[in-house]
Amino acid sequence: MKWWGVGSALLMIVGGIGPWVTVGGTTIANGTEKDGVFLIALGLIAGGLLVWRGGAAKWPAIVALSVAVLAVVISIADLGSVSGDSIAAALADPGWGLYLDLVASISLVAATAVLLIKSRSTAAAAPAA
C-alpha cells in the first residue's frame, strides 16, 4: 500500500508539470502557471511522508491522507474553473495534467486510507504485551 501511495504522489507531480488548459489541442497553461505548483508540493510532502514512514507510526499516513484530500479539492476546483460558464472557458479544455492530478489525488486518498485501515487491523490483531 505504501508504494501505491508513493506512485500516486509521483503522478501528482507529473500532472502538476503537465498541461492544464488547452485550446484546440494547444497548451495555453501548464500546471506550473496555475495551482499545479501546490499539487507538486503536496505530492512531494505526501510521497516523502510515505517513504519515510517508519515502524507503526500512523501520523505520517494521516498527514498524507489530509494532503491528498486537499489535492483532490484543488484539482476539482481548477477543473471547474477551466470548464466554467465564461466565453473563454467555452474555448478552453482541461489538459491531461489536470486530469492526471485529479486521478492521482483520488488514488492517493484511497492508498493512504487503505494503509491506515490495514495498520489499524494489524495493530488490533497483535497480542497485548
Side-chain angles (χ1 to χ4, degrees):
M1 299 308 139
K2 169 181 166 177
W3 296 112
W4 170 19
V6 171
S8 298
L10 288 174
L11 288 175
M12 282 174 55
I13 294 167
V14 171
I17 297 169
W20 274 31
V21 182
T22 61
V23 173
T26 303
T27 301
I28 61 170
N30 289 320
T32 55
E33 300 169 34
K34 299 222 170 252
D35 289 338
V37 175
F38 296 119
L39 290 170
I40 292 168
L42 294 174
L44 287 169
I45 292 167
L49 285 169
L50 291 174
V51 167
W52 174 77
R53 183 179 181 264
K58 290 183 184 178
W59 71 265
I62 293 170
V63 173
L65 176 62
S66 301
V67 163
V69 169
L70 179 60
V72 169
V73 170
I74 291 171
S75 297
I76 290 172
D78 283 342
L79 188 61
S81 70
V82 172
S83 306
D85 294 331
S86 69
I87 294 172
L91 299 173
D93 293 314
W96 63 261
L98 183 52
Y99 285 122
L100 180 60
D101 267 329
L102 178 61
V103 171
S105 300
I106 292 169
S107 177
L108 184 57
V109 168
T112 52
V114 168
L115 185 65
L116 285 168
I117 291 168
K118 186 177 176 184
S119 68
R120 183 176 180 191
S121 65
T122 303

